[in-house]
Amino acid sequence: MQKPSKRKLLLQQTTANRSKSSKVSSVVEEQGPFPSHPRPTPQDCRAVRDSLLSFHGFPPQFAHYREQRLHHDGSSLRTQNSAHDSGGDSETVLDGLVKALLSQNTTEVNSLGAFSNLKSAFPTWEDALAADKKHIENAIRCGGLAPTKASYIKNILTSLLERKGKLCLEYLRDLSTIEIKAELSHFKGIGPKTVACVLMFNLQRDDFPVDTHVYEIAKSLGWVPYVADRNQTYIHLNQRIPNELKFDLNCLLYTHGKLCQKCTKKGSNWERENGCDDSCPLLEYC
């Protein structure tokens, strides 16, 4: 019998390794990266949510998205979709994706300024697609990393037109959360945090984005082990936090992280050793 070639053996080994890696990834998603870590409990989440809400009030910049979540139903969603398709003033899913992309590695003020400049320079996404990349760079320069982000935006628009025939992501509303993650992950430059933001803000799904602020506070509170990375934190918190608390808690943690530098500076036991400001609502939980 003829022995398999070295190339064939290598191919079989590579396929087996990929299969094994896929199974391991699936187990991590199902069980979580820290199955024995007991926090946060639903009681933890509710207590922190209530403390932050009492201290800060609900952040006004997220009030519109909160209103959509509280009041949207089947009929209003169809109306909303019609408004999107007809070019209404509502924020489309594609708007939300680009807005989230522009928020990467910059401040909220700069990213919102970049998005506003982009929409002013190119009123429709068709205008942006037809424009030279340099013009997009100029429009979003205040948000930082303009050449990279302009390339990502052009790639998203080009890919979307090729795959779907139009510059619209409203079809995602009819997909499952897993399918949405798979769809958005096809786009270059779109990572888990950006996808989670679109899920939570634009598609009214129960997801929990983990940005730098949320990540550091989660470590400070002991909600994840100190060795956890951001992706592990995202998976763990999405499994532990009750769906009905995710939106408000996420918005409040993000807002608090911007205002309380000590809560996001070191994480773990740093607050116990150095002390937060006496007025910090999370002091009793650290």
Side-chain angles (χ1 to χ4, degrees):
M1 181 181 293
Q2 186 178 5
K3 291 183 180 180
S5 65
K6 289 184 179 180
R7 184 174 181 179
K8 187 174 182 180
L9 285 172
L10 182 61
L11 180 60
Q12 290 173 344
Q13 185 178 11
T14 301
T15 302
N17 288 339
R18 285 178 179 171
S19 177
K20 183 178 179 181
S21 176
S22 177
K23 289 178 181 178
V24 170
S25 178
S26 180
V27 169
V28 169
E29 284 283 352
E30 185 177 340
Q31 297 182 352
F34 311 111
S36 62
H37 194 82
R39 301 188 66 200
T41 65
Q43 292 76 20
D44 290 335
C45 299
R46 190 166 281 103
V48 168
R49 189 276 310 267
D50 291 346
S51 293
L52 290 176
L53 191 57
S54 177
F55 188 79
H56 293 293
F58 189 79
Q61 69 267 37
F62 301 125
H64 172 65
Y65 299 107
R66 192 188 198 209
E67 195 73 15
Q68 286 183 329
R69 295 179 68 88
L70 291 174
H71 294 99
H72 91 282
D73 55 27
S75 59
S76 65
L77 186 57
R78 284 192 294 272
T79 301
Q80 187 182 51
N81 285 343
S82 297
H84 288 319
D85 292 337
S86 63
D89 293 332
S90 299
E91 182 176 288
T92 67
V93 180
L94 182 53
D95 289 342
L97 178 63
V98 175
K99 183 183 285 187
L101 169 62
L102 291 173
S103 73
Q104 296 174 7
N105 301 299
T106 191
T107 65
E108 183 178 12
V109 170
N110 287 344
S111 69
L112 290 178
F115 184 75
S116 178
N117 292 344
L118 181 65
K119 294 295 282 184
S120 295
F122 310 106
T124 70
W125 291 119
E126 286 76 13
D127 294 334
L129 178 60
D132 187 273
K133 187 170 77 73
K134 280 291 183 183
H135 295 155
I136 296 178
E137 286 181 31
N138 292 335
I140 64 174
R141 198 166 300 283
C142 68
L145 300 175
T148 300
K149 292 178 180 178
S151 293
Y152 290 159
I153 291 170
K154 289 285 280 188
N155 174 263
I156 289 170
L157 298 177
T158 302
S159 176
L160 194 53
L161 187 63
E162 290 175 350
R163 292 174 59 228
K164 298 296 179 180
K166 61 179 180 177
L167 303 182
C168 179
L169 284 173
E170 300 307 311
Y171 71 92
L172 295 178
R173 297 183 184 278
D174 298 324
L175 304 183
S176 69
T177 296
I178 292 177
E179 290 171 330
I180 293 168
K181 289 181 178 181
E183 282 282 303
L184 292 180
S185 296
H186 287 147
F187 299 125
K188 191 174 181 181
I190 303 302
K193 196 250 332 189
T194 302
V195 173
C197 285
V198 173
L199 283 167
M200 187 176 78
F201 289 117
N202 301 103
L203 295 171
Q204 292 81 45
R205 302 297 175 95
D206 295 318
D207 212 73
F208 197 83
V210 174
D211 76 326
T212 301
H213 303 297
V214 173
Y215 174 53
E216 295 296 346
I217 293 178
K219 289 194 295 182
S220 297
L221 293 172
W223 284 8
V224 291
Y226 186 59
V227 297
D229 62 28
R230 271 176 56 173
N231 192 51
Q232 290 173 323
T233 300
Y234 168 71
I235 296 171
H236 181 75
L237 294 184
N238 266 285
Q239 292 186 334
R240 301 287 306 185
I241 298 173
N243 283 340
E244 67 272 15
L245 298 179
K246 284 180 178 176
F247 182 82
D248 282 10
L249 182 58
N250 194 275
C251 294
L252 288 162
L253 286 174
Y254 169 80
T255 299
H256 185 71
K258 290 196 304 176
L259 299 175
C260 185
Q261 293 183 357
K262 285 191 174 183
C263 274
T264 57
K265 190 171 183 180
K266 295 286 185 181
S268 191
N269 294 324
W270 189 84
E271 282 76 19
R272 294 192 185 97
E273 297 167 0
N274 295 272
C276 254
D277 187 284
D278 288 341
S279 65
C280 176
L282 298 187
L283 183 61
E284 63 180 296
Y285 306 109
C286 291

